[in-house]
Amino acid sequence: MKKLKCFSLGLMMLLLSGLAKAQLVIEITSGADQLLPLAVVPFAYEGQDALPADVAQIIENDLKRSGLFEAIPRTNMLSLPSKKEDVHFRDWRLLKSDYVVIGSVKQIDASNYEIAFELVNVLSQKTVEKHEGLAVKASGMRDAAHYISDKIYKLLTGVRGAFSTRILYVTAEGDRAAPTYRLQVADADGHRPQVIVESEEPILSPSWSHDGRFITYVMFRDRRPNIFVQELATGKRQKIAQYKGLNGAPAWSPDGKQLAIVLSKDGNPEIYIFDIATQKLNRITNHYSIDTEPSWEPDGKGIVFTSDRGGNPQIYRVDISSKAVERVTFEGDLNTRARMTPDGRYLVTVQKNDGNYHVALQDMKNGRVQILTETYLDESPSIAPNGSMVMYATTYNGKGILAVVSVDGLVKYRLPSAAGEVREPAWSPFFE
Amino acid sequence: MSFFSKESYGLPMLLALSLHLFLIVVSLVAVDFKEEQDLRVNDRPVVQAKVVDISQTIIGKKIEENKAKVKAKALAAKQKTQRDKKRKAAEQALKDRKKQLAQQKKQKQAVEKKARVAEKAARKAEADKLQKRQAAEADKQQVAAKKSQQAKADAKKRLAQESSKADKAKKLAEAKKREQAKINQQKAAQERKRLEVIRIAAEQKKRQEEAQQALVQEKARKEALAAELALQAEAERLDDIAEAQMLQSMSGLINQRIRSRWIRPPNAKNGMRTQLSIFFLPTGEVDLAQITRSSGDDLFDQRAVDAVYKMGRIEELSELDPYVFERNFRQIEIIFNPQDLRR
């Protein structure tokens, strides 16, 4: 018996010695989620002419604007390396920079340049991404910078960057009683605006086709609204709807073959689907109250729209095949101008609460609503193709401007203001 | 009715009872073993993530101090037992030496005695010899006188007779002499035998004493060992507790350091899980962080690795006992498993 006890004790000790070597395991279930600190070192330049654009600065601004990064100020940098072998990791660690972007621009001839860049992880001292010999025209320097921003953003956030995208918007300038309306296109950061259409009569509801090649908008002619489709590259324009009464709010279907439009030709505003190939109309809603502002769901199976059938304007959803309608928004005094995020998870609306109009975000999964903006008289929200940001029109210092808010409501910025009033922004899709 | 009679259930019952008893005892041993193991598992480092503030590092230090105290105590006790042992050993050596001396003396005495006895015997033999010789001479003289007296009377008549008589006397003397030598021999043999008996008795006694001594020594040794083992076990138990507490606070510290530097990518979701192996240097710096189980999302994994490298040097680790460090912190596992995200 004693022996047995002895034996079992020995066995236990053996087992314990095994246990004693058991690994220490620590589980971490929450994080800090500060902004990711990174440094975009000014790119080295080798060339005759003055550098057309400060590529590193554009990249830094892009990343900072996304609200996910914190850039180390240039004035704090201890060195300005342009090659990995010149990166003193200890210095960058001291600056608490997790990543460093380095690069160089080289002039090949009068209008051709070559860009190289490298994204380096300061902590692991490894190269995350390296590109060399990116051929760029002098005029394309900003595009190149946005392209690099997109690359870095994707590598560091896992989400596709939307810095190379563009925006459409309408400006009204001149005499307040009879202003000049201009439909313009610009980089997503508001730089390089170009006028597409100019008119003495209002231009409304610009929107992009899903490949970004075409746009559609409403333009008044002789005080009557018409819907146009225009190819951006050529400027070729086609009038697709000119019915009696209201013609408005065109929205491209995800497959690019159809337009959802609002027509009041049959009495009151209803949602129709216009097939571009067959030029045929298909009425989707049928109600005595106003149905307007259609927007496609990402899968193209349904359309969300604004209707006052419940007494005041709210967002409803119609199933295209069954034409069954259901109410989507219940919070706020009213909700208008619905847009869905590309993943279909969130619905962005303009919500009125106590006389104030703000951009609201509704979680389609649990119905939770979050007010994203604090600005005054917000309208026309439009979502970035990566679903991270919402651009909207608002008033600032008594003037209509464009502003951006992240879908989590944490990042807000205003776009550089052009002359006059700016309205109706439309964020482009990704350009492939 | 007899207990063991065929009709009685006594024997089967006894057998059944003993079998049950045996089974219970066996199961008790097994259960005992299992419980103790579980217990040990519990105070081993099953460390849950816990927030630890600076005060806990002080606790960590305190634990270290306590541990040092316990260790010092154990060391002192060990030294004392060693000292005792040494002293005892010295005493024993002294005793042994004394005994050895006594024994040597005894042996010397025995040898001397033996020598004395032998001398005595030799002297006696010498005396006997002398006496014999004297007697023989006197006899000779007597014979000579008689011979001269009778020579005149029996000049030729008793010549042959006389010579035979002398022969006879000579023979007698010789026989007497032999007898005496024999007796002497016997006496010496007896003496030797007696001495042998005494010697054997002494040896036996000595052996007994030695055995007794060995027994006492063995007992003392065993007791000392048991005491030392108990002390050691207690020290180890206290060590284990201190170590478990230290592990708790240290892992809390590491957890907090990493957590405050962990920047999750925007696509991170609750329930994602990455496991890393971290290799520390004794200086408290991270030598290497390796993904041992990926979340399936490279970026999520990378940010976990980044958070570990950003932790910097953990000074508290460099202050650990090298053995404790080696056993617990040369390599640790970190699981990144967010529960606080919005989605």
Side-chain angles (χ1 to χ4, degrees), chain A residues 264-328:
Chain A
S264 63
K265 64 184 182 68
D266 299 327
N268 72 323
E270 299 284 358
I271 312 288
Y272 293 79
I273 290 177
F274 174 75
D275 191 282
I276 294 165
T278 63
Q279 306 270 310
K280 273 187 181 156
L281 278 176
N282 178 15
R283 181 165 169 174
I284 298 298
T285 61
N286 193 352
H287 200 272
Y288 54 83
S289 59
I290 295 169
D291 296 331
T292 184
E293 299 175 337
S295 176
W296 295 77
E297 286 178 348
D299 61 5
K301 285 178 181 162
I303 288 173
V304 287
F305 62 97
T306 308
S307 174
D308 62 356
R309 58 182 71 192
N312 58 348
Q314 290 292 348
I315 306 302
Y316 293 77
R317 175 190 184 272
V318 60
D319 186 273
I320 292 168
S321 54
S322 71
K323 296 187 177 159
V325 174
E326 58 180 329
R327 183 168 164 175
V328 177

Side-chain angles (χ1 to χ4, degrees), chain B residues 194-206:
Chain B
R194 198 178 59 82
L195 281 172
E196 182 72 8
V197 166
I198 289 168
R199 195 180 57 79
I200 287 168
E203 266 178 20
Q204 257 175 359
K205 204 179 166 194
K206 195 179 143 201

Side-chain angles (χ1 to χ4, degrees), chain B residues 248-284:
Chain B
Q248 188 97 33
S249 84
M250 210 54 97
S251 48
L253 180 73
I254 293 169
N255 186 332
Q256 192 234 330
R257 287 272 190 101
I258 295 178
R259 196 175 44 181
S260 63
R261 287 161 178 80
W262 186 23
I263 304 175
R264 279 83 59 96
N267 62 349
K269 289 182 182 70
N270 285 335
M272 282 176 119
R273 194 182 164 92
T274 295
Q275 189 167 341
L276 303 185
S277 274
I278 302 184
F279 297 84
F280 278 109
L281 294 172
T283 55

Side-chain angles (χ1 to χ4, degrees), chain A residues 14 71 105 135 144 168 170 182 206 226 246 249 284 399 402-403:
Chain A
L14 217 88
V105 182
L168 286 172
V170 179
R182 290 189 184 92
N226 302 286
L246 187 73
I284 298 298
K399 202 176 124 185
L402 299 183

Side-chain angles (χ1 to χ4, degrees), chain A residues 52 68 105 107 154 157 241 248 252 289 394:
Chain A
L68 296 173
V105 182
Q107 190 174 22
K154 169 72 179 168
T157 68
W252 238 291
S289 59
T394 185

